[in-house]
Amino acid sequence: NSDWDSDGLVNRDEYIAGTDPTNANSCFSLFIGGTNMDIDVTFPALAIDTNYYSGLIRRYKIEQSTNLLQSNGWSVVQNYTNISGSGQPVIYTNDSPAPTRFFRGKVNLQ
């Protein structure tokens, strides 16, 4: 339950995300940008360091919502779930003309 870098994320969660628990600038985050009417959601899917994560696989998914006030309003983005981290960039282009849309990323170890 310690948070060595005081960034609000406990060390256990930093271990799962593959970030540095002693550096508040080291964090898992989505980058959201756009071109024309398309919105791109990107993040690096970090590979497992076999010295520290022996036998584990880091998996990612992107979720979306049109209403942040609904606790059950999040749904997975089709084809962007259960992504194995191998050091590759993940890029999702949202080209559907929907009203305001919010995105979040999740990461876990299996």
Side-chain angles (χ1 to χ4, degrees), residues 17-104:
T19 58
D20 182 350
T22 63
N23 181 349
N25 293 319
S26 176
C27 60
F28 169 69
S29 59
L30 301 179
F31 302 95
I32 301 175
T35 56
N36 299 327
M37 296 301 291
D38 296 341
I39 301 296
D40 293 329
V41 179
T42 65
F43 63 90
L46 301 177
I48 291 289
D49 180 340
T50 56
N51 292 325
Y52 302 103
Y53 300 90
S54 181
L56 297 174
I57 298 172
R58 186 173 287 119
R59 302 228 185 248
Y60 296 88
K61 68 179 170 180
I62 302 174
E63 295 180 338
Q64 62 186 345
S65 177
T66 57
N67 185 345
L68 293 179
L69 299 177
Q70 279 185 303
S71 60
N72 63 348
W74 290 97
S75 61
V76 295
V77 174
Q78 187 175 5
N79 299 322
Y80 287 86
T81 184
N82 206 27
I83 301 166
S84 295
S86 60
Q88 81 279 20
V90 175
I91 303 169
Y92 164 66
T93 300
N94 174 35
D95 56 4
S96 65
T100 302
R101 187 166 297 186
F102 304 93
F103 296 95
R104 69 181 179 188

